[in-house]
Amino acid sequence: MSKEDGSDQMAGVEGGGKSRGGGLAIEFTIKIGAASTLEFVSESVSSFGYSPSELKGGAVRVGKLIHSEDLESVTQALARAYHGGEAEAAMSFRILAKSGEPRRVSARVALERDASGRVTRYRGTLVEEGGCGAHGAPGVSTASGAGPSPQRT
C-alpha cells in the first residue's frame, strides 16, 4: 500500500493510540466463525464512547457501529478480498460513536487464512480521518486496488 491510500498513517501503530499521521488509531481482531466474535479491540476505542469490554462482550454488535449507508460497501470490500484470495482490504467509512455522531475512519484489514485458505480472522487498524464527519461516500479497495463493484458478492 502507498502513502496515497493512508497506509503511512497506519503503519507501525501497535495497541492503538496515535498513528504516525497524528490521527487516532484503533486496532481490532475479529474471529470468523458461525458466530463471529470480536477478540480484541484497543483501549483507544474509548474515543468513540465505547469500552473494549462492552464491544468484546457483545453488548454492542460490531456491525451496528458501521454507518448504515456504508455497511454494504464495507461488506462487499471484505467479501471481494475473502473470495479473491487477497491478503488485505483497505476502505474508508463512517463509524457511529456511542453518542450517535458519525465519524469517518480509514481501515486496513488483514485477512488471516488457515492451511486450506479459509479466512479465520480479520486483524485491522482504523484511523480516524479529521474533519470529514458524516459527509462523503465510502471508498473501498482490496490489496489489488479494485474498487467497489456494482454486484453484491
Side-chain angles (χ1 to χ4, degrees), residues 99-144:
S99 67
E101 172 194 12
R103 290 163 59 185
R104 182 158 300 280
V105 295
S106 292
R108 185 175 67 195
V109 180
L111 287 74
E112 289 188 6
R113 298 177 185 273
D114 63 16
S116 67
R118 187 177 58 94
V119 174
T120 58
R121 284 183 176 77
Y122 294 128
R123 291 191 190 271
T125 304
L126 303 175
V127 176
E128 187 170 13
E129 298 176 3
C132 292
H135 304 290
V140 294
S141 67
T142 61
S144 65

mmCIF file of all heavy atoms in Angstrom, residues 99-144:
data_model
loop_
_atom_site.group_PDB
_atom_site.id
_atom_site.type_symbol
_atom_site.label_atom_id
_atom_site.label_comp_id
_atom_site.label_asym_id
_atom_site.label_seq_id
_atom_site.Cartn_x
_atom_site.Cartn_y
_atom_site.Cartn_z
ATOM 1 N N SER A 99 -22.490 8.272 21.003
ATOM 2 C CA SER A 99 -23.404 9.417 21.026
ATOM 3 C C SER A 99 -24.297 9.464 19.790
ATOM 4 O O SER A 99 -25.234 10.255 19.737
ATOM 5 C CB SER A 99 -22.591 10.716 21.097
ATOM 6 O OG SER A 99 -21.859 10.891 19.885
ATOM 7 N N GLY A 100 -23.981 8.626 18.778
ATOM 8 C CA GLY A 100 -24.725 8.637 17.517
ATOM 9 C C GLY A 100 -24.040 9.452 16.433
ATOM 10 O O GLY A 100 -24.454 9.424 15.281
ATOM 11 N N GLU A 101 -22.991 10.177 16.796
ATOM 12 C CA GLU A 101 -22.254 11.001 15.836
ATOM 13 C C GLU A 101 -21.468 10.119 14.865
ATOM 14 O O GLU A 101 -20.713 9.253 15.291
ATOM 15 C CB GLU A 101 -21.274 11.915 16.582
ATOM 16 C CG GLU A 101 -20.339 12.663 15.672
ATOM 17 C CD GLU A 101 -19.162 13.293 16.413
ATOM 18 O OE1 GLU A 101 -18.929 12.977 17.598
ATOM 19 O OE2 GLU A 101 -18.469 14.097 15.778
ATOM 20 N N PRO A 102 -21.651 10.322 13.547
ATOM 21 C CA PRO A 102 -20.855 9.564 12.581
ATOM 22 C C PRO A 102 -19.466 10.175 12.455
ATOM 23 O O PRO A 102 -19.319 11.394 12.370
ATOM 24 C CB PRO A 102 -21.640 9.702 11.273
ATOM 25 C CG PRO A 102 -22.434 10.949 11.431
ATOM 26 C CD PRO A 102 -22.659 11.148 12.907
ATOM 27 N N ARG A 103 -18.451 9.318 12.477
ATOM 28 C CA ARG A 103 -17.068 9.781 12.343
ATOM 29 C C ARG A 103 -16.355 8.915 11.319
ATOM 30 O O ARG A 103 -16.416 7.694 11.369
ATOM 31 C CB ARG A 103 -16.375 9.741 13.704
ATOM 32 C CG ARG A 103 -16.975 10.828 14.594
ATOM 33 C CD ARG A 103 -16.701 10.688 16.048
ATOM 34 N NE ARG A 103 -15.312 10.672 16.412
ATOM 35 C CZ ARG A 103 -14.894 10.454 17.658
ATOM 36 N NH1 ARG A 103 -15.762 10.237 18.621
ATOM 37 N NH2 ARG A 103 -13.615 10.439 17.942
ATOM 38 N N ARG A 104 -15.697 9.575 10.369
ATOM 39 C CA ARG A 104 -15.044 8.878 9.260
ATOM 40 C C ARG A 104 -13.719 8.276 9.703
ATOM 41 O O ARG A 104 -12.942 8.889 10.408
ATOM 42 C CB ARG A 104 -14.811 9.823 8.093
ATOM 43 C CG ARG A 104 -14.183 9.082 6.916
ATOM 44 C CD ARG A 104 -14.387 9.747 5.592
ATOM 45 N NE ARG A 104 -15.764 9.894 5.220
ATOM 46 C CZ ARG A 104 -16.526 8.923 4.695
ATOM 47 N NH1 ARG A 104 -16.031 7.730 4.517
ATOM 48 N NH2 ARG A 104 -17.760 9.164 4.356
ATOM 49 N N VAL A 105 -13.509 7.012 9.256
ATOM 50 C CA VAL A 105 -12.261 6.309 9.521
ATOM 51 C C VAL A 105 -11.735 5.698 8.230
ATOM 52 O O VAL A 105 -12.492 5.436 7.295
ATOM 53 C CB VAL A 105 -12.444 5.178 10.568
ATOM 54 C CG1 VAL A 105 -12.832 5.740 11.920
ATOM 55 C CG2 VAL A 105 -13.435 4.137 10.103
ATOM 56 N N SER A 106 -10.421 5.511 8.181
ATOM 57 C CA SER A 106 -9.785 4.697 7.152
ATOM 58 C C SER A 106 -9.439 3.394 7.838
ATOM 59 O O SER A 106 -9.002 3.387 8.989
ATOM 60 C CB SER A 106 -8.496 5.352 6.649
ATOM 61 O OG SER A 106 -8.791 6.527 5.946
ATOM 62 N N ALA A 107 -9.637 2.289 7.123
ATOM 63 C CA ALA A 107 -9.356 0.988 7.712
ATOM 64 C C ALA A 107 -8.461 0.184 6.797
ATOM 65 O O ALA A 107 -8.589 0.246 5.576
ATOM 66 C CB ALA A 107 -10.660 0.220 7.947
ATOM 67 N N ARG A 108 -7.572 -0.546 7.415
ATOM 68 C CA ARG A 108 -6.767 -1.540 6.707
ATOM 69 C C ARG A 108 -6.990 -2.840 7.451
ATOM 70 O O ARG A 108 -6.759 -2.915 8.668
ATOM 71 C CB ARG A 108 -5.297 -1.158 6.691
ATOM 72 C CG ARG A 108 -4.469 -2.116 5.856
ATOM 73 C CD ARG A 108 -3.046 -1.673 5.731
ATOM 74 N NE ARG A 108 -2.414 -1.761 7.046
ATOM 75 C CZ ARG A 108 -1.264 -1.189 7.344
ATOM 76 N NH1 ARG A 108 -0.656 -0.432 6.469
ATOM 77 N NH2 ARG A 108 -0.745 -1.343 8.538
ATOM 78 N N VAL A 109 -7.470 -3.848 6.745
ATOM 79 C CA VAL A 109 -7.844 -5.116 7.363
ATOM 80 C C VAL A 109 -7.059 -6.248 6.698
ATOM 81 O O VAL A 109 -7.151 -6.447 5.494
ATOM 82 C CB VAL A 109 -9.367 -5.376 7.221
ATOM 83 C CG1 VAL A 109 -9.747 -6.690 7.877
ATOM 84 C CG2 VAL A 109 -10.167 -4.221 7.792
ATOM 85 N N ALA A 110 -6.299 -6.978 7.515
ATOM 86 C CA ALA A 110 -5.575 -8.158 7.036
ATOM 87 C C ALA A 110 -6.463 -9.376 7.239
ATOM 88 O O ALA A 110 -7.127 -9.501 8.267
ATOM 89 C CB ALA A 110 -4.272 -8.321 7.804
ATOM 90 N N LEU A 111 -6.491 -10.244 6.245
ATOM 91 C CA LEU A 111 -7.276 -11.472 6.326
ATOM 92 C C LEU A 111 -6.337 -12.622 6.647
ATOM 93 O O LEU A 111 -5.432 -12.925 5.867
ATOM 94 C CB LEU A 111 -7.992 -11.743 5.001
ATOM 95 C CG LEU A 111 -9.186 -10.845 4.685
ATOM 96 C CD1 LEU A 111 -8.773 -9.450 4.289
ATOM 97 C CD2 LEU A 111 -10.019 -11.475 3.602
ATOM 98 N N GLU A 112 -6.524 -13.231 7.817
ATOM 99 C CA GLU A 112 -5.719 -14.392 8.201
ATOM 100 C C GLU A 112 -6.436 -15.638 7.706
ATOM 101 O O GLU A 112 -7.642 -15.790 7.909
ATOM 102 C CB GLU A 112 -5.559 -14.467 9.715
ATOM 103 C CG GLU A 112 -4.661 -13.409 10.269
ATOM 104 C CD GLU A 112 -4.371 -13.625 11.753
ATOM 105 O OE1 GLU A 112 -4.778 -14.649 12.328
ATOM 106 O OE2 GLU A 112 -3.740 -12.739 12.328
ATOM 107 N N ARG A 113 -5.683 -16.526 7.071
ATOM 108 C CA ARG A 113 -6.263 -17.742 6.500
ATOM 109 C C ARG A 113 -5.629 -18.981 7.113
ATOM 110 O O ARG A 113 -4.463 -18.957 7.500
ATOM 111 C CB ARG A 113 -6.060 -17.753 4.985
ATOM 112 C CG ARG A 113 -6.766 -16.593 4.286
ATOM 113 C CD ARG A 113 -6.484 -16.575 2.785
ATOM 114 N NE ARG A 113 -7.067 -15.401 2.174
ATOM 115 C CZ ARG A 113 -8.312 -15.318 1.726
ATOM 116 N NH1 ARG A 113 -9.106 -16.367 1.810
ATOM 117 N NH2 ARG A 113 -8.767 -14.200 1.193
ATOM 118 N N ASP A 114 -6.405 -20.069 7.160
ATOM 119 C CA ASP A 114 -5.859 -21.341 7.628
ATOM 120 C C ASP A 114 -5.185 -22.044 6.447
ATOM 121 O O ASP A 114 -5.123 -21.497 5.337
ATOM 122 C CB ASP A 114 -6.933 -22.205 8.296
ATOM 123 C CG ASP A 114 -8.061 -22.614 7.357
ATOM 124 O OD1 ASP A 114 -7.921 -22.509 6.111
ATOM 125 O OD2 ASP A 114 -9.109 -23.048 7.875
ATOM 126 N N ALA A 115 -4.693 -23.265 6.663
ATOM 127 C CA ALA A 115 -3.955 -24.006 5.633
ATOM 128 C C ALA A 115 -4.785 -24.252 4.374
ATOM 129 O O ALA A 115 -4.245 -24.340 3.272
ATOM 130 C CB ALA A 115 -3.449 -25.331 6.199
ATOM 131 N N SER A 116 -6.112 -24.326 4.525
ATOM 132 C CA SER A 116 -6.971 -24.561 3.360
ATOM 133 C C SER A 116 -7.372 -23.268 2.653
ATOM 134 O O SER A 116 -8.085 -23.315 1.663
ATOM 135 C CB SER A 116 -8.227 -25.332 3.782
ATOM 136 O OG SER A 116 -9.032 -24.533 4.619
ATOM 137 N N GLY A 117 -6.922 -22.120 3.170
ATOM 138 C CA GLY A 117 -7.228 -20.843 2.548
ATOM 139 C C GLY A 117 -8.471 -20.155 3.082
ATOM 140 O O GLY A 117 -8.830 -19.068 2.641
ATOM 141 N N ARG A 118 -9.131 -20.787 4.046
ATOM 142 C CA ARG A 118 -10.338 -20.202 4.639
ATOM 143 C C ARG A 118 -9.945 -19.082 5.601
ATOM 144 O O ARG A 118 -9.033 -19.235 6.405
ATOM 145 C CB ARG A 118 -11.104 -21.291 5.390
ATOM 146 C CG ARG A 118 -12.454 -20.870 5.904
ATOM 147 C CD ARG A 118 -13.170 -22.046 6.564
ATOM 148 N NE ARG A 118 -12.396 -22.606 7.663
ATOM 149 C CZ ARG A 118 -12.547 -22.250 8.939
ATOM 150 N NH1 ARG A 118 -13.439 -21.358 9.267
ATOM 151 N NH2 ARG A 118 -11.806 -22.808 9.868
ATOM 152 N N VAL A 119 -10.627 -17.948 5.518
ATOM 153 C CA VAL A 119 -10.343 -16.822 6.407
ATOM 154 C C VAL A 119 -10.809 -17.177 7.814
ATOM 155 O O VAL A 119 -11.948 -17.609 8.017
ATOM 156 C CB VAL A 119 -11.029 -15.528 5.919
ATOM 157 C CG1 VAL A 119 -10.839 -14.400 6.927
ATOM 158 C CG2 VAL A 119 -10.482 -15.113 4.559
ATOM 159 N N THR A 120 -9.909 -17.013 8.775
ATOM 160 C CA THR A 120 -10.220 -17.329 10.169
ATOM 161 C C THR A 120 -10.312 -16.088 11.048
ATOM 162 O O THR A 120 -10.973 -16.114 12.086
ATOM 163 C CB THR A 120 -9.160 -18.271 10.765
ATOM 164 O OG1 THR A 120 -7.873 -17.649 10.659
ATOM 165 C CG2 THR A 120 -9.159 -19.609 10.034
ATOM 166 N N ARG A 121 -9.636 -15.008 10.640
ATOM 167 C CA ARG A 121 -9.651 -13.771 11.427
ATOM 168 C C ARG A 121 -9.457 -12.563 10.517
ATOM 169 O O ARG A 121 -8.775 -12.641 9.507
ATOM 170 C CB ARG A 121 -8.520 -13.744 12.453
ATOM 171 C CG ARG A 121 -8.752 -14.594 13.656
ATOM 172 C CD ARG A 121 -7.619 -14.464 14.663
ATOM 173 N NE ARG A 121 -7.934 -15.222 15.850
ATOM 174 C CZ ARG A 121 -7.837 -16.535 15.947
ATOM 175 N NH1 ARG A 121 -7.412 -17.242 14.921
ATOM 176 N NH2 ARG A 121 -8.158 -17.150 17.068
ATOM 177 N N TYR A 122 -10.054 -11.468 10.943
ATOM 178 C CA TYR A 122 -9.754 -10.153 10.387
ATOM 179 C C TYR A 122 -8.965 -9.414 11.460
ATOM 180 O O TYR A 122 -9.419 -9.305 12.596
ATOM 181 C CB TYR A 122 -11.025 -9.353 10.088
ATOM 182 C CG TYR A 122 -11.906 -9.914 8.996
ATOM 183 C CD1 TYR A 122 -13.257 -10.136 9.220
ATOM 184 C CD2 TYR A 122 -11.404 -10.188 7.733
ATOM 185 C CE1 TYR A 122 -14.084 -10.627 8.223
ATOM 186 C CE2 TYR A 122 -12.218 -10.675 6.724
ATOM 187 C CZ TYR A 122 -13.567 -10.892 6.983
ATOM 188 O OH TYR A 122 -14.383 -11.372 5.993
ATOM 189 N N ARG A 123 -7.783 -8.920 11.108
ATOM 190 C CA ARG A 123 -7.000 -8.082 12.016
ATOM 191 C C ARG A 123 -6.866 -6.731 11.344
ATOM 192 O O ARG A 123 -6.406 -6.658 10.207
ATOM 193 C CB ARG A 123 -5.611 -8.661 12.263
ATOM 194 C CG ARG A 123 -5.623 -9.932 13.071
ATOM 195 C CD ARG A 123 -4.212 -10.311 13.514
ATOM 196 N NE ARG A 123 -4.194 -11.637 14.076
ATOM 197 C CZ ARG A 123 -4.403 -11.908 15.356
ATOM 198 N NH1 ARG A 123 -4.641 -10.918 16.199
ATOM 199 N NH2 ARG A 123 -4.371 -13.149 15.797
ATOM 200 N N GLY A 124 -7.269 -5.695 12.038
ATOM 201 C CA GLY A 124 -7.276 -4.408 11.369
ATOM 202 C C GLY A 124 -6.908 -3.237 12.237
ATOM 203 O O GLY A 124 -6.798 -3.339 13.463
ATOM 204 N N THR A 125 -6.729 -2.133 11.547
ATOM 205 C CA THR A 125 -6.461 -0.849 12.181
ATOM 206 C C THR A 125 -7.381 0.181 11.558
ATOM 207 O O THR A 125 -7.478 0.276 10.334
ATOM 208 C CB THR A 125 -4.997 -0.405 11.957
ATOM 209 O OG1 THR A 125 -4.130 -1.429 12.445
ATOM 210 C CG2 THR A 125 -4.705 0.896 12.676
ATOM 211 N N LEU A 126 -8.066 0.917 12.414
ATOM 212 C CA LEU A 126 -8.889 2.050 11.992
ATOM 213 C C LEU A 126 -8.152 3.318 12.366
ATOM 214 O O LEU A 126 -7.626 3.414 13.475
ATOM 215 C CB LEU A 126 -10.240 2.059 12.717
ATOM 216 C CG LEU A 126 -11.129 0.837 12.612
ATOM 217 C CD1 LEU A 126 -12.356 1.018 13.503
ATOM 218 C CD2 LEU A 126 -11.550 0.614 11.186
ATOM 219 N N VAL A 127 -8.115 4.279 11.469
ATOM 220 C CA VAL A 127 -7.530 5.586 11.766
ATOM 221 C C VAL A 127 -8.584 6.632 11.482
ATOM 222 O O VAL A 127 -9.125 6.695 10.364
ATOM 223 C CB VAL A 127 -6.260 5.859 10.922
ATOM 224 C CG1 VAL A 127 -5.740 7.266 11.183
ATOM 225 C CG2 VAL A 127 -5.183 4.830 11.228
ATOM 226 N N GLU A 128 -8.891 7.418 12.486
ATOM 227 C CA GLU A 128 -9.898 8.456 12.309
ATOM 228 C C GLU A 128 -9.378 9.528 11.366
ATOM 229 O O GLU A 128 -8.245 9.980 11.482
ATOM 230 C CB GLU A 128 -10.281 9.076 13.649
ATOM 231 C CG GLU A 128 -11.435 10.035 13.522
ATOM 232 C CD GLU A 128 -11.991 10.495 14.852
ATOM 233 O OE1 GLU A 128 -11.358 10.279 15.887
ATOM 234 O OE2 GLU A 128 -13.076 11.091 14.819
ATOM 235 N N GLU A 129 -10.232 9.894 10.407
ATOM 236 C CA GLU A 129 -9.900 10.956 9.458
ATOM 237 C C GLU A 129 -10.449 12.248 10.024
ATOM 238 O O GLU A 129 -11.618 12.299 10.394
ATOM 239 C CB GLU A 129 -10.525 10.674 8.092
ATOM 240 C CG GLU A 129 -10.024 9.399 7.457
ATOM 241 C CD GLU A 129 -10.731 9.082 6.151
ATOM 242 O OE1 GLU A 129 -11.579 9.875 5.692
ATOM 243 O OE2 GLU A 129 -10.431 8.024 5.582
ATOM 244 N N GLY A 130 -9.660 13.265 10.097
ATOM 245 C CA GLY A 130 -10.097 14.526 10.688
ATOM 246 C C GLY A 130 -11.018 15.308 9.792
ATOM 247 O O GLY A 130 -10.860 15.386 8.594
ATOM 248 N N GLY A 131 -12.074 15.867 10.399
ATOM 249 C CA GLY A 131 -12.920 16.847 9.751
ATOM 250 C C GLY A 131 -13.911 16.341 8.732
ATOM 251 O O GLY A 131 -14.611 17.129 8.135
ATOM 252 N N CYS A 132 -14.029 15.036 8.499
ATOM 253 C CA CYS A 132 -14.942 14.549 7.476
ATOM 254 C C CYS A 132 -16.351 14.366 8.002
ATOM 255 O O CYS A 132 -17.306 14.503 7.261
ATOM 256 C CB CYS A 132 -14.437 13.234 6.877
ATOM 257 S SG CYS A 132 -12.939 13.463 5.925
ATOM 258 N N GLY A 133 -16.469 14.010 9.257
ATOM 259 C CA GLY A 133 -17.782 13.831 9.855
ATOM 260 C C GLY A 133 -18.647 12.892 9.060
ATOM 261 O O GLY A 133 -18.208 11.844 8.636
ATOM 262 N N ALA A 134 -19.890 13.263 8.850
ATOM 263 C CA ALA A 134 -20.857 12.379 8.198
ATOM 264 C C ALA A 134 -20.897 12.575 6.696
ATOM 265 O O ALA A 134 -21.751 12.036 6.038
ATOM 266 C CB ALA A 134 -22.242 12.639 8.791
ATOM 267 N N HIS A 135 -19.985 13.359 6.139
ATOM 268 C CA HIS A 135 -20.072 13.690 4.723
ATOM 269 C C HIS A 135 -19.182 12.795 3.887
ATOM 270 O O HIS A 135 -18.175 12.301 4.322
ATOM 271 C CB HIS A 135 -19.694 15.155 4.510
ATOM 272 C CG HIS A 135 -20.528 16.076 5.332
ATOM 273 N ND1 HIS A 135 -21.861 16.290 5.086
ATOM 274 C CD2 HIS A 135 -20.237 16.780 6.434
ATOM 275 C CE1 HIS A 135 -22.345 17.124 5.985
ATOM 276 N NE2 HIS A 135 -21.390 17.433 6.824
ATOM 277 N N GLY A 136 -19.580 12.608 2.655
ATOM 278 C CA GLY A 136 -18.767 11.867 1.705
ATOM 279 C C GLY A 136 -19.132 10.406 1.645
ATOM 280 O O GLY A 136 -19.538 9.818 2.621
ATOM 281 N N ALA A 137 -18.984 9.858 0.465
ATOM 282 C CA ALA A 137 -19.285 8.444 0.250
ATOM 283 C C ALA A 137 -18.104 7.604 0.686
ATOM 284 O O ALA A 137 -16.973 8.058 0.673
ATOM 285 C CB ALA A 137 -19.577 8.210 -1.231
ATOM 286 N N PRO A 138 -18.371 6.371 1.060
ATOM 287 C CA PRO A 138 -17.277 5.497 1.463
ATOM 288 C C PRO A 138 -16.412 5.149 0.270
ATOM 289 O O PRO A 138 -16.872 5.144 -0.860
ATOM 290 C CB PRO A 138 -17.994 4.265 1.999
ATOM 291 C CG PRO A 138 -19.310 4.251 1.308
ATOM 292 C CD PRO A 138 -19.659 5.709 1.098
ATOM 293 N N GLY A 139 -15.167 4.833 0.533
ATOM 294 C CA GLY A 139 -14.259 4.375 -0.502
ATOM 295 C C GLY A 139 -13.694 3.049 -0.067
ATOM 296 O O GLY A 139 -13.394 2.860 1.096
ATOM 297 N N VAL A 140 -13.570 2.125 -0.998
ATOM 298 C CA VAL A 140 -13.053 0.813 -0.651
ATOM 299 C C VAL A 140 -12.107 0.334 -1.724
ATOM 300 O O VAL A 140 -12.193 0.742 -2.871
ATOM 301 C CB VAL A 140 -14.188 -0.233 -0.487
ATOM 302 C CG1 VAL A 140 -15.049 0.095 0.692
ATOM 303 C CG2 VAL A 140 -15.020 -0.352 -1.741
ATOM 304 N N SER A 141 -11.179 -0.523 -1.335
ATOM 305 C CA SER A 141 -10.319 -1.186 -2.299
ATOM 306 C C SER A 141 -9.783 -2.446 -1.642
ATOM 307 O O SER A 141 -9.803 -2.584 -0.440
ATOM 308 C CB SER A 141 -9.155 -0.285 -2.731
ATOM 309 O OG SER A 141 -8.285 -0.056 -1.645
ATOM 310 N N THR A 142 -9.307 -3.348 -2.478
ATOM 311 C CA THR A 142 -8.617 -4.526 -1.973
ATOM 312 C C THR A 142 -7.148 -4.300 -2.221
ATOM 313 O O THR A 142 -6.753 -3.296 -2.817
ATOM 314 C CB THR A 142 -9.092 -5.805 -2.683
ATOM 315 O OG1 THR A 142 -8.799 -5.674 -4.072
ATOM 316 C CG2 THR A 142 -10.569 -6.054 -2.463
ATOM 317 N N ALA A 143 -6.329 -5.225 -1.796
ATOM 318 C CA ALA A 143 -4.889 -5.091 -1.984
ATOM 319 C C ALA A 143 -4.536 -4.970 -3.451
ATOM 320 O O ALA A 143 -3.526 -4.384 -3.805
ATOM 321 C CB ALA A 143 -4.159 -6.283 -1.354
ATOM 322 N N SER A 144 -5.375 -5.510 -4.343
ATOM 323 C CA SER A 144 -5.092 -5.426 -5.779
ATOM 324 C C SER A 144 -5.510 -4.076 -6.345
ATOM 325 O O SER A 144 -5.256 -3.789 -7.496
ATOM 326 C CB SER A 144 -5.852 -6.544 -6.514
ATOM 327 O OG SER A 144 -7.248 -6.346 -6.396
#
